PDB file of all heavy atoms in Angstrom:
ATOM      1  N   THR A 202      -7.017   3.924  -0.641  1.00 93.00           N
ATOM      2  CA  THR A 202      -6.055   5.010  -0.449  1.00 93.00           C
ATOM      3  C   THR A 202      -6.606   6.324  -0.982  1.00 93.00           C
ATOM      4  O   THR A 202      -7.380   6.354  -1.931  1.00 93.00           O
ATOM      5  CB  THR A 202      -4.709   4.739  -1.159  1.00 93.00           C
ATOM      6  OG1 THR A 202      -4.928   4.628  -2.555  1.00 93.00           O
ATOM      7  CG2 THR A 202      -4.041   3.493  -0.654  1.00 93.00           C
ATOM      8  N   LEU A 203      -6.159   7.383  -0.350  1.00 93.00           N
ATOM      9  CA  LEU A 203      -6.364   8.744  -0.829  1.00 93.00           C
ATOM     10  C   LEU A 203      -5.305   9.603  -0.150  1.00 93.00           C
ATOM     11  O   LEU A 203      -5.350   9.812   1.064  1.00 93.00           O
ATOM     12  CB  LEU A 203      -7.759   9.287  -0.503  1.00 93.00           C
ATOM     13  CG  LEU A 203      -7.954  10.779  -0.838  1.00 93.00           C
ATOM     14  CD1 LEU A 203      -7.743  11.046  -2.329  1.00 93.00           C
ATOM     15  CD2 LEU A 203      -9.317  11.265  -0.399  1.00 93.00           C
ATOM     16  N   ASN A 204      -4.323  10.001  -0.932  1.00 94.00           N
ATOM     17  CA  ASN A 204      -3.218  10.810  -0.408  1.00 94.00           C
ATOM     18  C   ASN A 204      -2.636  10.181   0.858  1.00 94.00           C
ATOM     19  O   ASN A 204      -2.525  10.816   1.896  1.00 94.00           O
ATOM     20  CB  ASN A 204      -3.678  12.243  -0.159  1.00 94.00           C
ATOM     21  CG  ASN A 204      -4.053  12.943  -1.445  1.00 94.00           C
ATOM     22  OD1 ASN A 204      -3.534  12.637  -2.515  1.00 94.00           O
ATOM     23  ND2 ASN A 204      -4.965  13.880  -1.357  1.00 94.00           N
ATOM     24  N   SER A 205      -2.227   8.938   0.742  1.00 94.00           N
ATOM     25  CA  SER A 205      -1.736   8.146   1.878  1.00 94.00           C
ATOM     26  C   SER A 205      -0.217   8.144   2.006  1.00 94.00           C
ATOM     27  O   SER A 205       0.326   7.337   2.766  1.00 94.00           O
ATOM     28  CB  SER A 205      -2.209   6.699   1.729  1.00 94.00           C
ATOM     29  OG  SER A 205      -3.600   6.637   1.677  1.00 94.00           O
ATOM     30  N   GLU A 206       0.451   8.999   1.288  1.00 95.00           N
ATOM     31  CA  GLU A 206       1.911   8.990   1.261  1.00 95.00           C
ATOM     32  C   GLU A 206       2.532   8.925   2.660  1.00 95.00           C
ATOM     33  O   GLU A 206       3.459   8.153   2.899  1.00 95.00           O
ATOM     34  CB  GLU A 206       2.409  10.240   0.532  1.00 95.00           C
ATOM     35  CG  GLU A 206       3.892  10.418   0.532  1.00 95.00           C
ATOM     36  CD  GLU A 206       4.318  11.704  -0.152  1.00 95.00           C
ATOM     37  OE1 GLU A 206       3.461  12.542  -0.497  1.00 95.00           O
ATOM     38  OE2 GLU A 206       5.521  11.877  -0.342  1.00 95.00           O
ATOM     39  N   ALA A 207       2.038   9.694   3.594  1.00 95.00           N
ATOM     40  CA  ALA A 207       2.640   9.764   4.925  1.00 95.00           C
ATOM     41  C   ALA A 207       2.519   8.455   5.702  1.00 95.00           C
ATOM     42  O   ALA A 207       3.307   8.205   6.609  1.00 95.00           O
ATOM     43  CB  ALA A 207       1.992  10.892   5.725  1.00 95.00           C
ATOM     44  N   PHE A 208       1.558   7.620   5.369  1.00 94.00           N
ATOM     45  CA  PHE A 208       1.292   6.401   6.125  1.00 94.00           C
ATOM     46  C   PHE A 208       1.547   5.128   5.331  1.00 94.00           C
ATOM     47  O   PHE A 208       1.410   4.033   5.860  1.00 94.00           O
ATOM     48  CB  PHE A 208      -0.169   6.390   6.596  1.00 94.00           C
ATOM     49  CG  PHE A 208      -0.574   7.667   7.256  1.00 94.00           C
ATOM     50  CD1 PHE A 208      -1.334   8.604   6.574  1.00 94.00           C
ATOM     51  CD2 PHE A 208      -0.178   7.947   8.547  1.00 94.00           C
ATOM     52  CE1 PHE A 208      -1.702   9.792   7.181  1.00 94.00           C
ATOM     53  CE2 PHE A 208      -0.540   9.129   9.161  1.00 94.00           C
ATOM     54  CZ  PHE A 208      -1.301  10.060   8.477  1.00 94.00           C
ATOM     55  N   LEU A 209       1.904   5.248   4.086  1.00 96.00           N
ATOM     56  CA  LEU A 209       1.942   4.108   3.178  1.00 96.00           C
ATOM     57  C   LEU A 209       3.146   3.193   3.393  1.00 96.00           C
ATOM     58  O   LEU A 209       3.004   1.972   3.334  1.00 96.00           O
ATOM     59  CB  LEU A 209       1.912   4.612   1.737  1.00 96.00           C
ATOM     60  CG  LEU A 209       1.532   3.621   0.662  1.00 96.00           C
ATOM     61  CD1 LEU A 209       0.224   2.934   0.983  1.00 96.00           C
ATOM     62  CD2 LEU A 209       1.436   4.319  -0.678  1.00 96.00           C
ATOM     63  N   ALA A 210       4.314   3.722   3.637  1.00 95.00           N
ATOM     64  CA  ALA A 210       5.520   2.895   3.760  1.00 95.00           C
ATOM     65  C   ALA A 210       5.376   1.805   4.821  1.00 95.00           C
ATOM     66  O   ALA A 210       5.658   0.630   4.540  1.00 95.00           O
ATOM     67  CB  ALA A 210       6.741   3.762   4.009  1.00 95.00           C
ATOM     68  N   PRO A 211       4.926   2.125   6.050  1.00 96.00           N
ATOM     69  CA  PRO A 211       4.778   1.045   7.035  1.00 96.00           C
ATOM     70  C   PRO A 211       3.711   0.019   6.652  1.00 96.00           C
ATOM     71  O   PRO A 211       3.857  -1.164   6.939  1.00 96.00           O
ATOM     72  CB  PRO A 211       4.385   1.767   8.325  1.00 96.00           C
ATOM     73  CG  PRO A 211       4.555   3.218   8.087  1.00 96.00           C
ATOM     74  CD  PRO A 211       4.678   3.438   6.620  1.00 96.00           C
ATOM     75  N   ARG A 212       2.656   0.472   5.993  1.00 96.00           N
ATOM     76  CA  ARG A 212       1.610  -0.464   5.560  1.00 96.00           C
ATOM     77  C   ARG A 212       2.159  -1.444   4.544  1.00 96.00           C
ATOM     78  O   ARG A 212       1.925  -2.650   4.634  1.00 96.00           O
ATOM     79  CB  ARG A 212       0.429   0.302   4.964  1.00 96.00           C
ATOM     80  CG  ARG A 212      -0.331   1.105   6.016  1.00 96.00           C
ATOM     81  CD  ARG A 212      -1.246   2.137   5.396  1.00 96.00           C
ATOM     82  NE  ARG A 212      -2.375   1.541   4.699  1.00 96.00           N
ATOM     83  CZ  ARG A 212      -3.206   2.234   3.935  1.00 96.00           C
ATOM     84  NH1 ARG A 212      -3.048   3.548   3.794  1.00 96.00           N
ATOM     85  NH2 ARG A 212      -4.205   1.659   3.325  1.00 96.00           N
ATOM     86  N   LEU A 213       2.895  -0.933   3.571  1.00 95.00           N
ATOM     87  CA  LEU A 213       3.459  -1.803   2.536  1.00 95.00           C
ATOM     88  C   LEU A 213       4.526  -2.723   3.105  1.00 95.00           C
ATOM     89  O   LEU A 213       4.610  -3.898   2.729  1.00 95.00           O
ATOM     90  CB  LEU A 213       4.019  -0.951   1.395  1.00 95.00           C
ATOM     91  CG  LEU A 213       2.985  -0.136   0.614  1.00 95.00           C
ATOM     92  CD1 LEU A 213       3.676   0.773  -0.390  1.00 95.00           C
ATOM     93  CD2 LEU A 213       1.975  -1.043  -0.070  1.00 95.00           C
ATOM     94  N   GLU A 214       5.343  -2.216   4.000  1.00 95.00           N
ATOM     95  CA  GLU A 214       6.377  -3.045   4.625  1.00 95.00           C
ATOM     96  C   GLU A 214       5.756  -4.174   5.435  1.00 95.00           C
ATOM     97  O   GLU A 214       6.254  -5.300   5.430  1.00 95.00           O
ATOM     98  CB  GLU A 214       7.279  -2.196   5.517  1.00 95.00           C
ATOM     99  CG  GLU A 214       8.421  -2.959   6.128  1.00 95.00           C
ATOM    100  CD  GLU A 214       9.340  -3.642   5.120  1.00 95.00           C
ATOM    101  OE1 GLU A 214       9.492  -3.138   3.986  1.00 95.00           O
ATOM    102  OE2 GLU A 214       9.914  -4.698   5.463  1.00 95.00           O
ATOM    103  N   SER A 215       4.662  -3.908   6.104  1.00 95.00           N
ATOM    104  CA  SER A 215       3.966  -4.941   6.860  1.00 95.00           C
ATOM    105  C   SER A 215       3.473  -6.055   5.936  1.00 95.00           C
ATOM    106  O   SER A 215       3.576  -7.245   6.271  1.00 95.00           O
ATOM    107  CB  SER A 215       2.794  -4.320   7.616  1.00 95.00           C
ATOM    108  OG  SER A 215       2.044  -5.310   8.263  1.00 95.00           O
ATOM    109  N   ILE A 216       2.962  -5.684   4.788  1.00 93.00           N
ATOM    110  CA  ILE A 216       2.515  -6.684   3.808  1.00 93.00           C
ATOM    111  C   ILE A 216       3.696  -7.499   3.317  1.00 93.00           C
ATOM    112  O   ILE A 216       3.640  -8.722   3.233  1.00 93.00           O
ATOM    113  CB  ILE A 216       1.780  -6.006   2.636  1.00 93.00           C
ATOM    114  CG1 ILE A 216       0.465  -5.396   3.126  1.00 93.00           C
ATOM    115  CG2 ILE A 216       1.535  -6.997   1.499  1.00 93.00           C
ATOM    116  CD1 ILE A 216      -0.173  -4.447   2.138  1.00 93.00           C
ATOM    117  N   ARG A 217       4.782  -6.845   3.013  1.00 92.00           N
ATOM    118  CA  ARG A 217       5.976  -7.519   2.492  1.00 92.00           C
ATOM    119  C   ARG A 217       6.548  -8.518   3.510  1.00 92.00           C
ATOM    120  O   ARG A 217       7.085  -9.554   3.135  1.00 92.00           O
ATOM    121  CB  ARG A 217       7.026  -6.471   2.135  1.00 92.00           C
ATOM    122  CG  ARG A 217       8.294  -6.988   1.602  1.00 92.00           C
ATOM    123  CD  ARG A 217       8.262  -7.526   0.192  1.00 92.00           C
ATOM    124  NE  ARG A 217       7.971  -6.475  -0.746  1.00 92.00           N
ATOM    125  CZ  ARG A 217       7.335  -6.676  -1.888  1.00 92.00           C
ATOM    126  NH1 ARG A 217       6.942  -7.866  -2.233  1.00 92.00           N
ATOM    127  NH2 ARG A 217       7.079  -5.692  -2.693  1.00 92.00           N
ATOM    128  N   ARG A 218       6.432  -8.242   4.808  1.00 93.00           N
ATOM    129  CA  ARG A 218       7.030  -9.096   5.846  1.00 93.00           C
ATOM    130  C   ARG A 218       6.187 -10.320   6.195  1.00 93.00           C
ATOM    131  O   ARG A 218       6.618 -11.145   7.004  1.00 93.00           O
ATOM    132  CB  ARG A 218       7.266  -8.281   7.120  1.00 93.00           C
ATOM    133  CG  ARG A 218       8.405  -7.315   7.023  1.00 93.00           C
ATOM    134  CD  ARG A 218       8.771  -6.748   8.382  1.00 93.00           C
ATOM    135  NE  ARG A 218       7.587  -6.421   9.168  1.00 93.00           N
ATOM    136  CZ  ARG A 218       7.266  -5.202   9.577  1.00 93.00           C
ATOM    137  NH1 ARG A 218       8.047  -4.195   9.318  1.00 93.00           N
ATOM    138  NH2 ARG A 218       6.163  -5.005  10.274  1.00 93.00           N
ATOM    139  N   GLN A 219       5.016 -10.455   5.633  1.00 91.00           N
ATOM    140  CA  GLN A 219       4.168 -11.602   5.969  1.00 91.00           C
ATOM    141  C   GLN A 219       4.845 -12.905   5.544  1.00 91.00           C
ATOM    142  O   GLN A 219       5.559 -12.962   4.557  1.00 91.00           O
ATOM    143  CB  GLN A 219       2.808 -11.485   5.294  1.00 91.00           C
ATOM    144  CG  GLN A 219       2.017 -10.276   5.725  1.00 91.00           C
ATOM    145  CD  GLN A 219       1.813 -10.225   7.221  1.00 91.00           C
ATOM    146  OE1 GLN A 219       1.347 -11.172   7.827  1.00 91.00           O
ATOM    147  NE2 GLN A 219       2.166  -9.097   7.817  1.00 91.00           N
ATOM    148  N   THR A 220       4.581 -13.957   6.306  1.00 94.00           N
ATOM    149  CA  THR A 220       5.175 -15.253   5.975  1.00 94.00           C
ATOM    150  C   THR A 220       4.429 -15.949   4.837  1.00 94.00           C
ATOM    151  O   THR A 220       5.023 -16.732   4.109  1.00 94.00           O
ATOM    152  CB  THR A 220       5.216 -16.168   7.211  1.00 94.00           C
ATOM    153  OG1 THR A 220       3.896 -16.292   7.744  1.00 94.00           O
ATOM    154  CG2 THR A 220       6.134 -15.578   8.267  1.00 94.00           C
ATOM    155  N   LEU A 221       3.155 -15.675   4.687  1.00 92.00           N
ATOM    156  CA  LEU A 221       2.401 -16.214   3.560  1.00 92.00           C
ATOM    157  C   LEU A 221       2.812 -15.464   2.301  1.00 92.00           C
ATOM    158  O   LEU A 221       2.802 -14.234   2.275  1.00 92.00           O
ATOM    159  CB  LEU A 221       0.893 -16.048   3.786  1.00 92.00           C
ATOM    160  CG  LEU A 221       0.001 -16.539   2.651  1.00 92.00           C
ATOM    161  CD1 LEU A 221       0.028 -18.059   2.593  1.00 92.00           C
ATOM    162  CD2 LEU A 221      -1.405 -16.040   2.817  1.00 92.00           C
ATOM    163  N   THR A 222       3.194 -16.179   1.281  1.00 89.00           N
ATOM    164  CA  THR A 222       3.661 -15.522   0.054  1.00 89.00           C
ATOM    165  C   THR A 222       2.637 -15.552  -1.071  1.00 89.00           C
ATOM    166  O   THR A 222       2.832 -14.905  -2.089  1.00 89.00           O
ATOM    167  CB  THR A 222       4.964 -16.188  -0.438  1.00 89.00           C
ATOM    168  OG1 THR A 222       4.721 -17.583  -0.655  1.00 89.00           O
ATOM    169  CG2 THR A 222       6.082 -16.006   0.574  1.00 89.00           C
ATOM    170  N   ASP A 223       1.548 -16.276  -0.894  1.00 92.00           N
ATOM    171  CA  ASP A 223       0.533 -16.402  -1.948  1.00 92.00           C
ATOM    172  C   ASP A 223      -0.564 -15.356  -1.728  1.00 92.00           C
ATOM    173  O   ASP A 223      -1.650 -15.667  -1.259  1.00 92.00           O
ATOM    174  CB  ASP A 223      -0.043 -17.816  -1.929  1.00 92.00           C
ATOM    175  CG  ASP A 223      -0.933 -18.086  -3.129  1.00 92.00           C
ATOM    176  OD1 ASP A 223      -0.907 -17.280  -4.091  1.00 92.00           O
ATOM    177  OD2 ASP A 223      -1.662 -19.093  -3.106  1.00 92.00           O
ATOM    178  N   TRP A 224      -0.249 -14.093  -2.061  1.00 94.00           N
ATOM    179  CA  TRP A 224      -1.182 -12.997  -1.839  1.00 94.00           C
ATOM    180  C   TRP A 224      -1.179 -12.053  -3.032  1.00 94.00           C
ATOM    181  O   TRP A 224      -0.275 -12.082  -3.863  1.00 94.00           O
ATOM    182  CB  TRP A 224      -0.844 -12.220  -0.574  1.00 94.00           C
ATOM    183  CG  TRP A 224       0.563 -11.711  -0.517  1.00 94.00           C
ATOM    184  CD1 TRP A 224       1.624 -12.324   0.084  1.00 94.00           C
ATOM    185  CD2 TRP A 224       1.079 -10.513  -1.098  1.00 94.00           C
ATOM    186  NE1 TRP A 224       2.764 -11.583  -0.077  1.00 94.00           N
ATOM    187  CE2 TRP A 224       2.462 -10.456  -0.811  1.00 94.00           C
ATOM    188  CE3 TRP A 224       0.534  -9.477  -1.838  1.00 94.00           C
ATOM    189  CZ2 TRP A 224       3.279  -9.413  -1.227  1.00 94.00           C
ATOM    190  CZ3 TRP A 224       1.361  -8.439  -2.256  1.00 94.00           C
ATOM    191  CH2 TRP A 224       2.711  -8.422  -1.948  1.00 94.00           C
ATOM    192  N   GLU A 225      -2.205 -11.230  -3.070  1.00 95.00           N
ATOM    193  CA  GLU A 225      -2.252 -10.118  -4.009  1.00 95.00           C
ATOM    194  C   GLU A 225      -2.677  -8.887  -3.225  1.00 95.00           C
ATOM    195  O   GLU A 225      -3.383  -8.989  -2.220  1.00 95.00           O
ATOM    196  CB  GLU A 225      -3.236 -10.372  -5.152  1.00 95.00           C
ATOM    197  CG  GLU A 225      -4.685 -10.357  -4.716  1.00 95.00           C
ATOM    198  CD  GLU A 225      -5.669 -10.478  -5.863  1.00 95.00           C
ATOM    199  OE1 GLU A 225      -5.307 -10.256  -7.029  1.00 95.00           O
ATOM    200  OE2 GLU A 225      -6.840 -10.806  -5.580  1.00 95.00           O
ATOM    201  N   LEU A 226      -2.225  -7.724  -3.663  1.00 96.00           N
ATOM    202  CA  LEU A 226      -2.623  -6.459  -3.063  1.00 96.00           C
ATOM    203  C   LEU A 226      -3.526  -5.746  -4.050  1.00 96.00           C
ATOM    204  O   LEU A 226      -3.145  -5.511  -5.201  1.00 96.00           O
ATOM    205  CB  LEU A 226      -1.395  -5.600  -2.747  1.00 96.00           C
ATOM    206  CG  LEU A 226      -1.676  -4.181  -2.244  1.00 96.00           C
ATOM    207  CD1 LEU A 226      -2.465  -4.219  -0.944  1.00 96.00           C
ATOM    208  CD2 LEU A 226      -0.380  -3.425  -2.070  1.00 96.00           C
ATOM    209  N   VAL A 227      -4.728  -5.431  -3.616  1.00 96.00           N
ATOM    210  CA  VAL A 227      -5.692  -4.711  -4.435  1.00 96.00           C
ATOM    211  C   VAL A 227      -5.830  -3.309  -3.837  1.00 96.00           C
ATOM    212  O   VAL A 227      -6.315  -3.152  -2.725  1.00 96.00           O
ATOM    213  CB  VAL A 227      -7.068  -5.411  -4.478  1.00 96.00           C
ATOM    214  CG1 VAL A 227      -8.046  -4.630  -5.329  1.00 96.00           C
ATOM    215  CG2 VAL A 227      -6.920  -6.847  -4.959  1.00 96.00           C
ATOM    216  N   VAL A 228      -5.355  -2.317  -4.574  1.00 96.00           N
ATOM    217  CA  VAL A 228      -5.392  -0.932  -4.114  1.00 96.00           C
ATOM    218  C   VAL A 228      -6.519  -0.222  -4.842  1.00 96.00           C
ATOM    219  O   VAL A 228      -6.602  -0.268  -6.068  1.00 96.00           O
ATOM    220  CB  VAL A 228      -4.053  -0.217  -4.401  1.00 96.00           C
ATOM    221  CG1 VAL A 228      -4.112   1.235  -3.951  1.00 96.00           C
ATOM    222  CG2 VAL A 228      -2.906  -0.946  -3.721  1.00 96.00           C
ATOM    223  N   VAL A 229      -7.397   0.419  -4.082  1.00 93.00           N
ATOM    224  CA  VAL A 229      -8.444   1.250  -4.672  1.00 93.00           C
ATOM    225  C   VAL A 229      -8.117   2.682  -4.271  1.00 93.00           C
ATOM    226  O   VAL A 229      -8.215   3.053  -3.107  1.00 93.00           O
ATOM    227  CB  VAL A 229      -9.845   0.842  -4.182  1.00 93.00           C
ATOM    228  CG1 VAL A 229     -10.908   1.733  -4.815  1.00 93.00           C
ATOM    229  CG2 VAL A 229     -10.112  -0.624  -4.494  1.00 93.00           C
ATOM    230  N   ASP A 230      -7.674   3.455  -5.233  1.00 93.00           N
ATOM    231  CA  ASP A 230      -7.226   4.816  -4.979  1.00 93.00           C
ATOM    232  C   ASP A 230      -8.264   5.814  -5.475  1.00 93.00           C
ATOM    233  O   ASP A 230      -8.813   5.665  -6.554  1.00 93.00           O
ATOM    234  CB  ASP A 230      -5.896   5.072  -5.687  1.00 93.00           C
ATOM    235  CG  ASP A 230      -5.382   6.453  -5.398  1.00 93.00           C
ATOM    236  OD1 ASP A 230      -4.954   6.692  -4.248  1.00 93.00           O
ATOM    237  OD2 ASP A 230      -5.416   7.306  -6.296  1.00 93.00           O
ATOM    238  N   SER A 231      -8.507   6.823  -4.661  1.00 91.00           N
ATOM    239  CA  SER A 231      -9.500   7.853  -5.000  1.00 91.00           C
ATOM    240  C   SER A 231      -8.828   9.100  -5.561  1.00 91.00           C
ATOM    241  O   SER A 231      -8.996  10.192  -5.044  1.00 91.00           O
ATOM    242  CB  SER A 231     -10.335   8.207  -3.762  1.00 91.00           C
ATOM    243  OG  SER A 231     -11.073   7.095  -3.339  1.00 91.00           O
ATOM    244  N   GLN A 232      -8.041   8.902  -6.617  1.00 92.00           N
ATOM    245  CA  GLN A 232      -7.394  10.008  -7.336  1.00 92.00           C
ATOM    246  C   GLN A 232      -6.403  10.784  -6.453  1.00 92.00           C
ATOM    247  O   GLN A 232      -6.442  12.004  -6.369  1.00 92.00           O
ATOM    248  CB  GLN A 232      -8.444  10.957  -7.923  1.00 92.00           C
ATOM    249  CG  GLN A 232      -9.478  10.303  -8.799  1.00 92.00           C
ATOM    250  CD  GLN A 232      -8.882   9.705 -10.072  1.00 92.00           C
ATOM    251  OE1 GLN A 232      -7.979  10.290 -10.665  1.00 92.00           O
ATOM    252  NE2 GLN A 232      -9.370   8.555 -10.490  1.00 92.00           N
ATOM    253  N   SER A 233      -5.500  10.063  -5.788  1.00 94.00           N
ATOM    254  CA  SER A 233      -4.477  10.708  -4.963  1.00 94.00           C
ATOM    255  C   SER A 233      -3.659  11.677  -5.805  1.00 94.00           C
ATOM    256  O   SER A 233      -3.355  11.412  -6.973  1.00 94.00           O
ATOM    257  CB  SER A 233      -3.535   9.664  -4.367  1.00 94.00           C
ATOM    258  OG  SER A 233      -4.198   8.901  -3.392  1.00 94.00           O
ATOM    259  N   ASP A 234      -3.286  12.805  -5.194  1.00 94.00           N
ATOM    260  CA  ASP A 234      -2.441  13.764  -5.914  1.00 94.00           C
ATOM    261  C   ASP A 234      -1.121  13.994  -5.167  1.00 94.00           C
ATOM    262  O   ASP A 234      -0.451  14.997  -5.381  1.00 94.00           O
ATOM    263  CB  ASP A 234      -3.177  15.088  -6.173  1.00 94.00           C
ATOM    264  CG  ASP A 234      -3.768  15.705  -4.915  1.00 94.00           C
ATOM    265  OD1 ASP A 234      -3.382  15.307  -3.800  1.00 94.00           O
ATOM    266  OD2 ASP A 234      -4.622  16.589  -5.061  1.00 94.00           O
ATOM    267  N   ASP A 235      -0.743  13.025  -4.309  1.00 96.00           N
ATOM    268  CA  ASP A 235       0.569  13.062  -3.676  1.00 96.00           C
ATOM    269  C   ASP A 235       1.391  11.907  -4.251  1.00 96.00           C
ATOM    270  O   ASP A 235       1.134  11.464  -5.360  1.00 96.00           O
ATOM    271  CB  ASP A 235       0.443  13.004  -2.150  1.00 96.00           C
ATOM    272  CG  ASP A 235      -0.152  11.687  -1.653  1.00 96.00           C
ATOM    273  OD1 ASP A 235      -0.539  10.838  -2.483  1.00 96.00           O
ATOM    274  OD2 ASP A 235      -0.230  11.509  -0.432  1.00 96.00           O
ATOM    275  N   ALA A 236       2.337  11.396  -3.530  1.00 97.00           N
ATOM    276  CA  ALA A 236       3.220  10.330  -4.041  1.00 97.00           C
ATOM    277  C   ALA A 236       2.693   8.927  -3.765  1.00 97.00           C
ATOM    278  O   ALA A 236       3.438   7.956  -3.878  1.00 97.00           O
ATOM    279  CB  ALA A 236       4.602  10.494  -3.436  1.00 97.00           C
ATOM    280  N   THR A 237       1.420   8.802  -3.453  1.00 96.00           N
ATOM    281  CA  THR A 237       0.854   7.491  -3.154  1.00 96.00           C
ATOM    282  C   THR A 237       1.052   6.510  -4.303  1.00 96.00           C
ATOM    283  O   THR A 237       1.579   5.409  -4.108  1.00 96.00           O
ATOM    284  CB  THR A 237      -0.653   7.609  -2.813  1.00 96.00           C
ATOM    285  OG1 THR A 237      -0.782   8.364  -1.610  1.00 96.00           O
ATOM    286  CG2 THR A 237      -1.301   6.256  -2.635  1.00 96.00           C
ATOM    287  N   LEU A 238       0.645   6.854  -5.496  1.00 96.00           N
ATOM    288  CA  LEU A 238       0.736   5.911  -6.621  1.00 96.00           C
ATOM    289  C   LEU A 238       2.169   5.580  -7.006  1.00 96.00           C
ATOM    290  O   LEU A 238       2.470   4.399  -7.245  1.00 96.00           O
ATOM    291  CB  LEU A 238      -0.073   6.423  -7.806  1.00 96.00           C
ATOM    292  CG  LEU A 238      -1.589   6.418  -7.573  1.00 96.00           C
ATOM    293  CD1 LEU A 238      -2.325   6.991  -8.772  1.00 96.00           C
ATOM    294  CD2 LEU A 238      -2.084   5.023  -7.262  1.00 96.00           C
ATOM    295  N   PRO A 239       3.096   6.539  -7.057  1.00 96.00           N
ATOM    296  CA  PRO A 239       4.490   6.151  -7.309  1.00 96.00           C
ATOM    297  C   PRO A 239       5.046   5.203  -6.240  1.00 96.00           C
ATOM    298  O   PRO A 239       5.822   4.293  -6.558  1.00 96.00           O
ATOM    299  CB  PRO A 239       5.240   7.481  -7.315  1.00 96.00           C
ATOM    300  CG  PRO A 239       4.211   8.477  -7.729  1.00 96.00           C
ATOM    301  CD  PRO A 239       2.932   7.983  -7.108  1.00 96.00           C
TER     302      PRO A 239
END
């Protein structure tokens, strides 16, 4: 991620809707200065 606020909600929702529940999300952020991290 890098300042992904505008595109992040659908990406996260897609992950949440998966039927497999045994997962981890690894985010590598390049110092975003928008609302990406919150």
Side-chain angles (χ1 to χ4, degrees):
T202 62
L203 173 60
N204 295 332
S205 301
E206 175 182 8
F208 311 102
L209 198 53
R212 291 165 69 189
L213 295 174
E214 184 57 30
S215 175
I216 293 167
R217 180 73 65 210
R218 287 192 318 243
Q219 298 304 307
T220 56
L221 178 71
T222 58
D223 189 13
W224 54 265
E225 70 175 343
L226 174 61
V227 180
V228 179
V229 180
D230 182 71
S231 296
Q232 306 295 322
S233 290
D234 53 16
D235 65 356
T237 295
L238 292 178

